[in-house]
Amino acid sequence: MAKFELKLPKMGESVAEATITSWLKEVGDTIEADEAVLEIATDKVDSEVPSEVDGVLVEKLFNVDDVVQVGQTIAIIETEGESSSSTNNSTSQPTKNVETKTDTVAVAQVESTVETAKETAATVVSSGDRFYSPLVKNIAKKEGIGQEELDAIQGTGKDGRVTKNDILAYLENRTAPKSEKPAAAPQVKQASEPVKAAPAVPTGDDEIVQMTRMGKLIAHHMVDSVQTSAHVQSFIEADVTKIWNWRKKVKDSFMKREGENLTFTPIFMEAVAKALRDFPMMNISVQGDTIIKKKHINLGMAAALPDGNLIVPVIKDADQLNLVGMTKKVNDLANRARQNQLKPDDIQGGTYTVTNVGTFGSIMGTPIINQPQVGILALGAIRKMPAVVETPEGDFIGIRYKMIMSHSYDHRVVNGALGGQFVKAVKDYLEAWDPNREI
């Protein structure tokens, strides 16, 4: 018998850890190669971890809701080894001794790995929707920092997570005894979680529904964004009559030729990508007191899931795609999002986000910025509107297809002029659409 260490695989660029959401196999279960052993989650994407070998699950090193680092051993699988027999005992005995010694060393190494993983897992604790890395939890355990005290530490990492530097800085300034709760802790908690100060009390007829894991992540992400960025909005109306008529004319032939449904989304995405190329200071992120100018234009495309949650797959290098390529990418990401088949890398690296609130009939909105980006554009519903049409023969009232675009941006680094000019550029690209364009 041999032991195989099932490790958390690399799941995409910048993905360093994952949360175990469920075990699909129990200790003692037989597993086939490529069969899913457990389910994990990174940010908003759920994935399965398959076994690389045939065998029997003999050890689970982490529990549900534990956070595991990429490369860590998460389970031990016992595999069948080839056993060789020989009638010549004098020949086979030395070989058996060598194999026994080798197996003993291997088992000892595996057991050592198991014990190390168990120690790490024992320190892994979560508080609500806050997750801490094993390193942070080990430091907290060593320094005697309790759960409540740990929850009160302000994190500077992604989604407000507490990093190694955060907890070490906290320890340097920590003056209260380890067993006592710092005096400032209640104030910090009240400032960051004001809702908890006055909890809602259900009455007898009320139904209590637990938030899903994804719902908790989205809620935390939204609150963090509002507390981080100074949100400002600009609104502009665009006449998309040319686009409406052009799409109506070409969509059937496009479907026959490409096998893809031509929606308005790739057309709008193309215009946004062009505007970002014209205004690169909208394609940035903020890190402390510095601004990071992004080399690539990666457009996030907010998509509603069947369960009501929201996910934002990313179109990488959107400005490099033609309309056919953009359409195929949009349809592919949208379809896989609805089927929960997105990979972790599909939602990473966005530099600007577009959300289509018009899908639900809304004519405008005030979207919340997707951190660490500095802008998000909401597309309102396209409506028939009476409008003044200017012609060489004079003005007249006509029926036009119009929509309102709502641009939210971070006023810390984007002033009103830049925010307004950017959304005006998107409008200009849409209104200048060539009705004779070929694709």
Side-chain angles (χ1 to χ4, degrees), residues 8 85 161 178 201 211 237-238 279 305 366 382 385:
L8 183 66
S85 60
R161 290 187 181 182
K178 295 178 182 178
V201 180
M211 293 179 67
E237 187 177 57
F279 296 93
L305 298 176
T366 54
I382 299 175
M385 300 287 292

Side-chain angles (χ1 to χ4, degrees), residues 44-46 214 305-307 311 335-342:
K44 302 174 184 177
V45 174
D46 294 337
M214 184 181 292
L305 298 176
D307 61 2
I311 197 166
N335 291 333
R336 288 197 286 125
R338 285 190 289 267
Q339 298 169 10
N340 289 323
Q341 293 180 349
L342 290 174

Side-chain angles (χ1 to χ4, degrees), residues 227-247:
Q227 293 176 345
T228 300
S229 298
H231 282 64
V232 175
Q233 284 82 29
S234 294
F235 305 90
I236 198 165
E237 187 177 57
D239 187 329
V240 292
T241 306
K242 292 179 181 178
I243 293 175
W244 181 281
N245 293 333
W246 176 84
R247 175 183 170 273

Side-chain angles (χ1 to χ4, degrees), residues 2 68 81 113 127 136 139-140 164 169 224 261 263 322 347 363 369 374 381 413:
V68 186
T113 303
S127 174
V136 169
I139 295 174
K164 173 187 174 183
D224 179 65
N261 183 28
T263 66
N322 60 20
I347 63 168
I363 61 173
I369 296 169
V374 298
V413 290

Side-chain angles (χ1 to χ4, degrees), residues 359-434:
T359 302
F360 311 104
S362 298
I363 61 173
M364 66 175 68
T366 54
I368 297 175
I369 296 169
N370 187 16
Q371 297 295 325
Q373 301 166 21
V374 298
I376 179 171
L377 185 68
L379 306 173
I382 299 175
R383 302 177 298 158
K384 287 183 179 181
M385 300 287 292
V388 176
V389 180
E390 297 179 356
T391 68
E393 292 76 23
D395 300 342
F396 66 92
I397 301 295
I399 303 299
R400 309 294 291 178
Y401 288 93
K402 293 199 171 189
M403 63 180 294
I404 297 175
M405 294 183 289
S406 312
H407 185 211
S408 292
Y409 47 94
D410 190 343
H411 210 16
R412 295 178 301 164
V413 290
V414 180
N415 57 33
L418 175 58
Q421 288 171 349
F422 170 79
V423 73
K424 173 65 162 54
V426 177
K427 164 192 165 77
D428 291 342
Y429 278 120
L430 294 177
E431 293 187 345
W433 190 266
D434 182 3

Side-chain angles (χ1 to χ4, degrees), residues 213-279:
R213 180 193 59 82
M214 184 181 292
K216 292 179 182 179
L217 288 170
I218 293 173
H220 177 76
H221 193 55
M222 295 297 97
V223 172
D224 179 65
S225 180
V226 172
Q227 293 176 345
T228 300
S229 298
H231 282 64
V232 175
Q233 284 82 29
S234 294
F235 305 90
I236 198 165
E237 187 177 57
D239 187 329
V240 292
T241 306
K242 292 179 181 178
I243 293 175
W244 181 281
N245 293 333
W246 176 84
R247 175 183 170 273
K248 184 178 180 181
K249 179 178 66 175
V250 305
K251 65 179 183 178
D252 290 339
S253 60
F254 186 87
M255 171 63 81
K256 290 180 182 178
R257 191 187 74 189
E258 302 293 341
E260 298 281 350
N261 183 28
L262 178 60
T263 66
F264 289 103
T265 300
I267 298 173
F268 297 146
M269 288 294 191
E270 181 185 71
V272 172
K274 290 180 179 179
L276 285 172
R277 198 162 50 193
D278 295 339
F279 296 93

Side-chain angles (χ1 to χ4, degrees), residues 303-334:
L305 298 176
D307 61 2
N309 285 314
L310 188 72
I311 197 166
V312 186
V314 177
I315 302 171
K316 307 291 177 61
D317 294 313
D319 59 321
Q320 304 298 315
L321 297 174
N322 60 20
L323 191 56
V324 175
M326 184 77 78
T327 301
K328 292 184 176 181
K329 193 66 176 178
V330 166
N331 291 347
D332 172 60
L333 290 173

